[in-house]
Amino acid sequence: MMLSSFHHHFSLLVFTVYGLVFQVHELHSAQLKVMGPPGPVIVAMGEDAVLPCRFSPAQSTQDMEVTWFREQLLPFVHLYKGGRDQNGNQMLEYVGRTELWKDGLAKGSVNLKIFHVQLSDRGNYTCLVVNGSDYDQAVVELQVTASGSVPLVALERYQDGGIRVSCRSAGWYPRPQVLWRDPHGQHLPSLSESVTQDQSSLFAVESSIILTRGTKQNVSCWVQHVLDGQERGSAFYISDPFFGNTHPSTIVLAIVSVVVVALLIFTVYLFKIKEKQAEELAWRRHEDPIKEVKVVLDSDTAQSCLVLSDGCKSVRREEKPQDVPEHPKRFDLWRCVMGREGFTSGRCYWEVEVDNRGGWTVGVCREDVDKKGEIVFNPEKGFWAVGLWAGCFQALTCPENTFLGEIQTPKRIRVSLDYEERRVSFFSIDKKILIFTFKETSFEGKPVYPWFWLGSGTRLKMCP
């Protein structure tokens, strides 16, 4: 009887322990789990990147908080909280460049889209999902590539009984591989190879090979990505008369080649001069507009973090909001301010000194633009502007911004408005060149005002 009672109590204990273990396992299985992709995301520079991130099990998204960040939680890359995107502490270089795919939230997807990927965007991103007291995170690696120029092949000189041929290409990331191939696709050893990197972190490569008479004269040079295997190449053929540097015909051919190269260089030089003259003509055409205006900033439109001074002719951004009254014309989220005077006719201009320590945009906007909540700055929404936006000098065009990387970011800008011609032009006072022109603008017969946006730590000043 005692043995039977012992077996009964032991079975009951085992059943109870099993049940508790099963419940704990079920509870653990129901916890939030966040998952990234199995490998890195590889995107070409200038393209849009989508960073995948999923969570399970699918659940209510009403109280869900999704944060994408890099090395630290603040400032973040993108934050979704309270049923909307939050931009208060977003990293400056991602302002206006990220989008969370909210359509997938109910299905457990929190993918992040980054527009116009740059080399500086490469690295690890953390996807953090919080729902109530439950949270989890996953890391997504973004690798950025850049495909450079088609290889340029040049015949350099006679060397070691053959002809030294070089192959050059620039604008690659990461560091590419240079391959010489014979007509059968077999690799040929190079004589020398050099790699350099410019200020934008893009790689330029140069490789040389020696070709001799009757052997390996039909050759191609290929520059190849090490990440995705994409490559660009140039093929060429050298006939026997080019070999033997004592032959008269070879000397004649060499002289002719030098003359042709010189003519090409001279043609490029003339083209550059003509291009420079065109820029100067564009500058002179707008150098003396009909009317110069003195812009005074409208304090009723200034967002609460903007501080006006110098008789409302200067503005700086502070991180702490100021105590300002509510006003229907005031921007409530974006750090923007408008000029006090609007224009409905004529041709005029004004100049602005900009501070390149932070982001900024300078331009014009229609009187009826949105001033509350999230705003998209482009011509379709009534904004025409250029500036240092997301770390790059660009024009805020649509559907995508126009990068102005070849133009040095100016310290003083002239904004020229021609209302009748529906044209807004921007000039660099530093270089006396035209920066960008918006043509056929849609003013819709409404007043147009000077408009400015200031990034963190930025100050703008209206020129006298």
Side-chain angles (χ1 to χ4, degrees):
M1 182 179 298
M2 291 179 61
L3 185 60
S4 176
S5 176
F6 172 79
H7 281 296
H8 173 73
H9 288 292
F10 179 79
S11 299
L12 182 60
L13 178 61
V14 170
F15 179 81
T16 302
V17 171
Y18 177 81
L20 289 173
V21 171
F22 178 79
Q23 288 179 4
V24 170
H25 175 73
E26 286 296 305
L27 180 61
H28 177 74
S29 299
Q31 287 180 341
L32 182 67
K33 184 174 180 60
V34 177
M35 298 155 288
V41 176
I42 303 175
V43 180
M45 187 174 69
E47 299 294 326
D48 298 340
V50 176
L51 306 184
C53 184
R54 297 188 58 82
F55 64 88
S56 64
Q59 49 197 280
S60 172
T61 61
Q62 183 176 1
D63 300 322
M64 181 170 292
E65 179 178 332
V66 180
T67 307
W68 282 89
F69 63 93
R70 301 198 68 174
E71 290 83 2
Q72 54 190 14
L73 192 59
L74 288 176
F76 50 76
V77 175
H78 193 99
L79 173 62
Y80 174 82
K81 182 179 180 182
R84 57 178 292 185
D85 295 322
Q86 308 288 336
N87 299 308
N89 289 304
Q90 188 175 24
M91 295 176 68
L92 180 62
E93 55 267 38
Y94 293 98
V95 172
R97 296 180 55 224
T98 60
E99 178 185 6
L100 187 73
W101 288 5
K102 302 176 185 63
D103 293 342
L105 283 173
K107 302 176 182 178
S109 174
V110 286
N111 296 350
L112 180 71
K113 186 173 186 179
I114 303 177
F115 299 95
H116 308 299
V117 167
Q118 304 300 310
L119 286 182
S120 58
D121 295 327
R122 67 189 186 276
N124 291 334
Y125 292 75
T126 300
C127 171
L128 172 64
V129 180
V130 180
N131 198 351
S133 61
D134 206 0
Y135 68 92
D136 194 17
Q137 62 186 30
V139 176
V140 182
E141 181 184 0
L142 174 61
Q143 295 182 356
V144 180
T145 65
S147 296
S149 59
V150 174
L152 174 65
V153 176
L155 308 183
E156 293 189 329
R157 61 180 179 271
Y158 291 102
Q159 181 176 334
D160 300 333
I163 298 177
R164 182 186 177 108
V165 182
S166 68
C167 174
R168 303 182 182 92
S169 182
W172 294 84
Y173 194 89
R175 174 175 173 170
Q177 183 179 12
V178 183
L179 303 173
W180 294 92
R181 293 174 181 162
D182 65 13
H184 306 291
Q186 299 297 316
H187 292 177
L188 301 173
S190 63
L191 176 67
S192 64
E193 185 172 320
S194 64
V195 180
T196 58
Q197 198 170 10
D198 62 19
Q199 293 180 348
S200 302
S201 299
L202 295 175
F203 287 94
V205 292
E206 180 175 350
S207 180
S208 299
I209 194 172
I210 294 180
L211 302 181
T212 56
R213 179 192 297 270
T215 60
K216 302 174 183 176
Q217 300 174 30
N218 190 356
V219 178
S220 59
C221 173
W222 295 85
V223 184
Q224 184 182 75
H225 261 311
V226 296
L227 288 180
D228 53 21
Q230 294 186 7
E231 58 185 16
R232 291 186 176 181
S234 296
F236 62 98
Y237 177 81
I238 302 179
S239 58
D240 283 345
F242 278 87
F243 295 91
N245 55 359
T246 59
H247 198 282
S249 62
T250 303
I251 298 175
V252 173
L253 285 172
I255 295 174
V256 171
S257 299
V258 171
V259 172
V260 170
V261 171
L263 287 174
L264 287 173
I265 294 174
F266 184 66
T267 302
V268 172
Y269 175 72
L270 290 178
F271 177 80
K272 290 293 185 181
I273 291 179
K274 187 175 180 181
E275 188 179 51
K276 183 65 176 179
Q277 289 175 342
E279 290 180 350
E280 291 179 353
L281 286 174
W283 167 259
R284 292 195 187 108
R285 179 173 178 269
H286 292 271
E287 191 173 14
D288 296 311
I290 296 175
K291 179 183 178 184
E292 178 184 5
V293 296
K294 307 298 183 183
V295 173
V296 177
L297 302 175
D298 187 354
S299 59
D300 289 339
T301 65
Q303 200 266 353
S304 60
C305 288
L306 300 185
V307 179
L308 306 185
S309 60
D310 191 23
C312 292
K313 294 181 181 179
S314 297
V315 56
R316 72 177 187 274
R317 172 172 167 173
E318 300 286 350
E319 295 309 314
K320 182 179 180 181
Q322 311 299 307
D323 185 13
V324 294
E326 291 289 336
H327 198 286
K329 295 197 304 181
R330 190 180 306 282
F331 290 89
D332 67 345
L333 182 60
W334 287 88
R335 278 63 169 178
C336 302
V337 63
M338 295 166 55
R340 189 178 297 171
E341 179 186 359
F343 309 98
T344 56
S345 62
R347 186 178 176 200
C348 61
Y349 79 92
W350 57 92
E351 295 179 0
V352 186
E353 287 185 3
V354 300
D355 186 344
N356 289 330
R357 288 179 297 177
W360 52 268
T361 56
V362 170
V364 301
C365 71
R366 281 201 313 262
E367 182 181 38
D368 61 343
V369 295
D370 293 334
K371 301 179 180 66
K372 309 299 181 183
E374 292 294 336
I375 307 173
V376 177
F377 302 128
N378 64 38
E380 288 187 352
K381 301 299 183 180
F383 295 90
W384 297 270
V386 301
L388 193 61
W389 183 267
C392 301
F393 189 43
Q394 50 191 301
L396 306 188
T397 53
C398 60
E400 297 179 349
N401 290 352
T402 301
F403 289 88
L404 306 173
E406 297 181 356
I407 300 176
Q408 181 179 350
T409 305
K411 296 180 180 178
R412 186 163 175 166
I413 291 181
R414 173 178 293 181
V415 183
S416 177
L417 170 65
D418 192 330
Y419 197 94
E420 279 74 16
E421 293 294 328
R422 297 187 297 160
R423 181 173 56 237
V424 184
S425 300
F426 299 86
F427 299 86
S428 169
I429 302 299
D430 310 351
K431 298 295 183 180
K432 290 185 169 55
I433 59 171
L434 174 67
I435 297 173
F436 190 82
T437 297
F438 290 91
K439 301 177 181 179
E440 301 297 323
T441 53
S442 53
F443 296 149
E444 300 179 0
K446 299 176 181 178
V448 176
Y449 290 78
W451 170 81
F452 312 89
W453 168 82
L454 285 79
S456 180
T458 302
R459 179 188 182 95
L460 299 179
K461 180 180 180 182
M462 307 304 111
C463 299

